């Protein structure tokens, strides 16, 4: 998740690039950079760690002139966020420079091949590898830039949106995409070009846009109309569209709130999270942390998961997955409690830190303590290069892109996805998961993004339902087994953004207290998907209905039994039991969102909360 911008035309490029970067900052903001070729043919590159504002400070007072340039705002994947890893990258000769959004999965073997041919590398990034490959191809075969780009892209596996320019040819900009978005805005006489990861940087300049498709390469030449080809150099029609961009919604990718955007991001980002790791066609899950620390993991005495908030709910799911697939005992602790509990922890234990931001103070202190006492620390973090990532001995990033809405959504499903892959990978190495179950799980996990996309189609239905619950003061959320943490998460989402009091419980516990609260004014949300304990959930539901409670149930597609009991049902696709949280949580995210919007509340920045809690 990075943002790229490029310009070629007759205006000064730098202000257009900087404005575009600000609009794409929601895509990542751990470093930024810009490259511009001036009238004299000099290539000037400026980079800074952190936000685009830092880049502006670095570039201030230097030569930023020129009518062609490329720029980037980064969400680190390969390599920590520092200046060397920031884009634009420079080729070996210093002639080509490139920005990239995506992940080149075979960067490591390509890097080795290029090293053998005498190439050296200034950064740890996959981007620099692709750029050097383009330069190698260009020089070896004496071809022009667009040919070199096409032929290099045929050799890479992974996702990319790239923009590359050549100091020796300041009238040409070449760009391409596969898997990562790319739009070209057509300015004056179709010969002025604005290129970006989404259409937002184009606003105010042009409303004529060409969306580049996968495996297409666009060549933009000064004074000429754009030329698009596929990787085999066959010509592709240029399909320009008129679009209407509301400048106020720009950073949210067209959604009214970051939270809704992030809920809708889930199919795409979970594919990113699994890319290069879940390989059903090879019958494998490959997580480098498991490969590198195989022995410590399979022989661990026990696992302990420390985290806070939504990440703690993901940990409760992780416990069930690991115990089922790996038969290793797992404890789940609130990081804030763990750190002050004089915990019995030491060598032979693996402590997992789950954190979206990677900066939560309690979680960081908990792992520092565990580390001091000799445990191995395994980070499951979204923010690359964050404090928790750096303080961990090893880990697996969730790679779901920046999460800006305070109420966590895609990070939760990303953590759950990583925990599932982790449990399966360790279980496979340990021999505690059967081959048939392992293969079934790989295939089923691969289906999850499409299944989530199908649930998102019910957004209007859930929005309409939300209106019926706006005036309620209290909610109960009930689930069992894998759906119990989902009940907790559904309740947390609702209270965080709608300020309605909500409690999550294991459904069977209801009769030990919470049932006293049930009356006609108490909505009870049941997680009643078709999994083990389904019949028992139905009994719990009957107990609520017979006390006049109003039931909203999340059920599996085609369920007829619950329809006869509950006031409202929302259907989700069938999954194996161990994957049900990934689908059953989605309607609860949408329900909380729509209730909060209907109440007129600030969904993205709810009162009293913060996205990254760096204090105790
Ligand atoms: C804050 C956020 C929550 C988040 C929790 C843990 O309370 O508002 O959304 O779940 O911190 O954050 P982490 O970044 O460690 O996952």
């Amino acid at each position: 998740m990075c943002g790229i911008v490029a310009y070629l035309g007759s205006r000064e490029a730098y202000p257009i690039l900087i404005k575009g970067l600000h609009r794409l900052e929601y895509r990542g903001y751990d470093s930024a950079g810009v490259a511009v070729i001036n009238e004299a043919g000099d290539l000037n590159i400026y980079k800074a760690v952190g936000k685009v504002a830092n880049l502006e400070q670095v570039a201030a007072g230097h030569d930023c002139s020129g009518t062609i340039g490329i720029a980037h705002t980064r969400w680190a994947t390969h390599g920590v966020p520092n200046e060397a890893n920031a884009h634009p990258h420079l080729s070996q000769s210093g002639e080509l420079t490139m920005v990239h959004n995506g992940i080149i999965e075979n960067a490591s073997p390509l890097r080795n091949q290029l090293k053998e041919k005498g190439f050296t590398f200034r950064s740890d990034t996959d981007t620099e590898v692709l750029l050097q490959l383009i330069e190698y191809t260009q020089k070896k075969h004496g071809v022009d830039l667009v040919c070199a780009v096409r032929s290099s892209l045929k050799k890479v596996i992974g996702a990319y949106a790239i923009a590359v320019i050549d100091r020796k040819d300041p009238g040409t900009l070449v760009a391409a995409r596969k898997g990562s978005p790319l739009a070209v805005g057509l300015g004056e006489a179709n010969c002025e070009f604005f290129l970006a990861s989404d259409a937002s940087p184009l606003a105010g300049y042009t409303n004529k846009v060409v969306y580049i498709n996968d495996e297409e390469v666009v060549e933009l030449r000064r004074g000429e109309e754009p030329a698009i080809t596929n990787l085999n150099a066959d010509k592709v029609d240029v399909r320009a569209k008129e679009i209407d961009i509301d400048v106020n919604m720009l950073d949210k990718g067209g959604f009214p709130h970051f939270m809704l955007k992030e809920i809708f991001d889930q199919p795409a980002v979970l594919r990113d999270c699994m890319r290069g790791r879940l390989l059903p066609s090879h019958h494998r899950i490959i997580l480098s942390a498991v490969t590198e620390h195989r022995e410590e993991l399979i022989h661990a005495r026990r696992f302990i998961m420390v985290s806070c908030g939504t990440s703690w709910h993901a940990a409760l799911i992780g416990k069930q997955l690991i115990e089922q697939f790996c038969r290793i005992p797992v404890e789940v602790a609130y990081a804030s409690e763990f750190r002050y509990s004089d915990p019995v922890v030491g060598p032979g234990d693996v402590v997992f830190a789950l954190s979206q931001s990677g900066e939560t103070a309690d979680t960081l202190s908990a792992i520092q303590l565990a580390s001091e006492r000799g445990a191995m620390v395994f980070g499951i973090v979204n923010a690359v290069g964050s404090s928790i990532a750096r303080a961990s001995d090893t880990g697996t990033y969730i790679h779901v892109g920046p999460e800006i809405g305070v109420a966590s959504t895609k990070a939760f499903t990303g953590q759950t996805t990583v925990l599932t892959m982790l449990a399966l990978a360790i279980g496979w190495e340990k021999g505690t998961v059967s081959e048939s179950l392992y293969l079934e799980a790989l295939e089923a996990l691969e289906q999850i993004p499409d299944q989530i996309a199908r649930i998102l189609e019910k957004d209007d239905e859930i929005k309409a339902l939300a209106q019926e619950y706006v005036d309620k003061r209290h909610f109960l959320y009930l689930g069992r087994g894998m759906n119990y943490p989902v009940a907790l998460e559904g309740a947390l989402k609702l209270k965080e953004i709608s300020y309605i009091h909500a409690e999550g419980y294991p459904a069977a516990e209801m009769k030990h207290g919470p049932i006293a609260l049930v009356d006609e004014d108490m909505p009870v949300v049941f997680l009643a998907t078709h999994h083990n304990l389904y019949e028992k959930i139905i009994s719990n539901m009957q107990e609520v209905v017979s006390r006049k409670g109003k039931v909203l149930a999340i059920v599996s597609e085609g369920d007829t039994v619950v329809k006869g009991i509950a006031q409202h049902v929302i259907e989700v696709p069938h999954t194996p039991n161990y994957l049900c949280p990934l689908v059953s949580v989605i309607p609860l995210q949408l329900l909380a969102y729509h209730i909060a919007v209907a109440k007129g509340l600030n969904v993205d920045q709810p009162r009293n909360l913060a996205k990254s809690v760096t204090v105790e």
Side-chain angles (χ1 to χ4, degrees):
M1 282 286 289
C2 304
I4 67 177
V5 196
Y7 176 79
L8 171 59
S10 52
R11 310 183 212 203
E12 279 301 304
Y14 179 76
I16 295 170
L17 297 173
I18 291 292
K19 198 164 156 192
L21 287 186
H22 277 297
R23 289 181 178 170
L24 291 180
E25 220 167 12
Y26 76 89
R27 301 180 65 83
Y29 38 79
D30 57 42
S31 58
V34 61
V36 193
I37 304 174
N38 69 14
E39 278 261 282
D42 303 320
L43 172 61
N44 292 311
I45 300 182
Y46 305 103
K47 299 180 186 189
V49 172
K51 295 201 160 208
V52 178
N54 298 359
L55 171 65
E56 287 179 90
Q57 279 179 13
V58 167
H62 293 88
D63 180 8
C64 297
S65 66
T67 54
I68 179 168
I70 58 177
H72 190 266
T73 178
R74 179 166 187 246
W75 176 255
T77 57
H78 284 60
V80 295
N82 60 20
E83 235 175 78
N85 290 333
H87 303 212
H89 288 284
L90 195 62
S91 67
Q92 179 107 323
S93 69
E95 286 163 359
L96 302 183
T97 183
M98 184 170 93
V99 289
H100 167 222
N101 165 31
I103 299 174
I104 304 300
E105 287 156 22
N106 59 339
S108 181
L110 287 173
R111 182 191 295 264
N112 291 339
Q113 287 164 24
L114 287 161
K115 276 184 179 166
E116 280 167 22
K117 296 182 197 314
F119 280 81
T120 53
F121 292 84
R122 300 176 179 93
S123 78
D124 304 322
T125 64
D126 50 342
T127 306
E128 193 186 6
V129 174
L130 175 56
L131 179 63
Q132 304 287 36
L133 180 63
I134 294 171
E135 175 156 295
Y136 169 74
T137 312
Q138 196 188 26
K139 299 226 183 295
K140 175 155 192 247
H141 301 290
V143 291
D144 62 8
L145 183 58
V146 69
C147 289
V149 167
R150 276 194 297 254
S151 124
S152 304
L153 290 178
K154 282 183 164 182
K155 298 196 176 80
V156 303
I157 300 169
Y160 53 78
I162 56 165
V164 49
I165 55 176
D166 184 345
R167 188 175 56 77
K168 300 187 306 318
D169 179 12
T172 302
L173 167 63
V174 175
R177 80 156 259 181
K178 182 182 180 188
S180 303
L182 193 60
V184 181
L186 303 179
E188 271 170 26
N190 291 351
C191 299
E192 180 192 32
F193 309 109
F194 305 83
L195 188 124
S197 297
D198 71 28
S200 58
L202 282 42
Y205 298 111
T206 178
N207 62 354
K208 221 169 166 190
V209 179
V210 181
Y211 287 99
I212 306 300
N213 289 328
D214 276 353
E215 303 203 329
E216 285 181 358
V217 180
V218 58
E219 186 180 23
L220 306 168
R221 297 178 69 84
R222 201 182 292 280
E224 294 178 20
E225 297 227 348
I228 306 180
T229 49
N230 62 22
L231 295 186
N232 294 324
D234 303 321
K235 209 164 167 290
V236 173
D237 286 343
V238 177
R239 312 150 300 261
K241 271 179 148 187
E242 301 263 322
I243 56 155
D244 193 12
I245 310 172
D246 175 353
V247 179
N248 296 320
M249 302 225 296
L250 285 178
D251 291 354
K252 296 167 189 131
F255 286 90
H257 299 100
F258 282 112
M259 181 179 175
L260 189 61
K261 175 186 173 292
E262 287 157 8
I263 292 172
F264 273 80
D265 269 352
Q266 287 174 110
V269 297
L270 294 187
R271 281 187 203 105
D272 288 344
C273 169
M274 293 189 258
R275 182 174 290 124
R277 297 164 162 180
L278 179 76
L279 308 167
S281 51
H282 295 71
H283 303 162
R284 286 303 301 276
I285 291 177
I286 296 178
L287 296 173
S288 52
V290 176
T291 312
E292 285 159 23
H293 296 274
R294 180 180 184 278
E295 297 307 309
E296 294 106 302
L297 291 166
I298 67 173
H299 298 303
R301 197 165 56 154
R302 73 184 162 155
F303 289 172
I304 303 171
M305 299 200 172
V306 293
S307 45
C308 306
T310 291
S311 297
W312 186 78
H313 296 154
L316 293 177
I317 295 169
K319 170 185 167 69
Q320 297 186 49
L321 290 165
I322 288 169
E323 291 190 341
Q324 178 184 349
F325 293 129
C326 314
R327 308 310 297 160
I328 296 171
V330 183
E331 284 172 30
V332 177
Y334 284 115
S336 52
E337 291 297 313
F338 179 86
R339 61 184 290 197
Y340 292 116
S341 64
D342 189 10
V344 182
V345 60
D349 294 330
V350 181
V351 174
F352 288 79
L354 281 89
S355 176
Q356 187 286 127
S357 62
E359 300 297 343
T360 303
D362 283 322
T363 311
L364 184 58
S365 300
I367 58 171
Q368 284 163 342
L369 175 67
S371 224
E372 278 162 28
R373 296 192 177 185
M376 179 171 113
V377 175
F378 192 117
I380 298 180
V381 172
N382 193 30
V384 174
S386 54
S387 305
I388 293 173
R390 292 197 306 274
S392 299
D393 297 307
T394 187
T396 303
Y397 283 116
I398 64 172
H399 283 326
V400 296
E403 190 180 68
I404 294 165
V406 164
S408 182
T409 52
K410 63 180 180 175
F412 175 76
T413 46
Q415 288 165 334
T416 305
T417 301
V418 163
L419 287 163
T420 311
M421 291 193 287
L422 194 66
L424 287 163
I426 299 172
W428 182 251
E429 294 299 329
K430 202 164 182 264
T432 43
V433 57
S434 70
E435 184 167 6
S436 59
L437 179 57
Y438 181 72
L439 295 180
E440 172 206 86
L442 261 58
E443 305 249 320
L445 192 52
E446 199 190 20
Q447 303 306 314
I448 290 290
D450 289 343
Q451 293 183 320
I452 293 178
R454 269 166 51 205
I455 303 169
L456 295 173
E457 287 169 11
K458 295 180 195 288
D459 185 40
D460 285 343
E461 185 191 319
I462 296 170
K463 183 177 178 183
L465 204 58
Q467 311 308 313
E468 302 203 15
Y469 292 98
V470 172
D471 299 324
K472 300 293 176 193
R473 303 286 308 278
H474 308 274
F475 266 72
L476 270 181
Y477 284 71
L478 303 175
R480 302 190 70 162
M482 296 294 289
N483 270 330
Y484 159 52
V486 178
L488 297 180
E489 175 59 10
L492 179 65
K493 285 292 83 86
L494 188 71
K495 64 186 138 194
E496 278 180 316
I497 58 170
S498 74
Y499 316 148
I500 294 173
H501 169 233
E503 299 211 39
Y505 266 92
E509 270 298 298
M510 180 188 66
K511 55 187 170 297
H512 300 293
I515 199 164
L517 299 169
V518 173
D519 62 14
E520 60 271 24
D521 249 355
M522 170 68 94
V524 183
V525 179
F526 270 94
L527 280 308
T529 49
H530 220 135
H531 296 110
N532 45 355
L533 303 175
Y534 172 75
E535 281 77 19
K536 299 202 183 294
I537 278 275
I538 303 283
S539 308
N540 298 143
M541 207 179 284
Q542 298 283 15
E543 289 156 14
V544 167
V545 170
S546 56
R547 284 159 184 86
K548 301 202 178 98
K550 299 277 175 293
V551 171
L552 164 59
I554 310 302
V555 298
S556 297
E557 280 169 349
D559 186 302
T560 50
V561 177
V562 176
K563 276 195 187 129
I565 307 172
Q567 267 70 37
H568 300 291
V569 298
I570 304 170
E571 292 189 341
V572 295
H574 286 266
T575 65
N577 181 48
Y578 47 85
L579 294 182
C580 69
L582 287 167
V583 295
S584 51
V585 75
I586 308 295
L588 304 189
Q589 295 172 342
L590 287 170
L591 182 70
Y593 170 79
H594 286 300
I595 291 177
V597 170
K599 290 183 77 173
L601 298 172
N602 184 344
V603 174
D604 285 332
Q605 284 151 351
R607 70 182 180 202
N608 307 341
L609 299 178
K611 187 70 193 155
S612 177
V613 183
T614 51
V615 291
E616 267 195 55

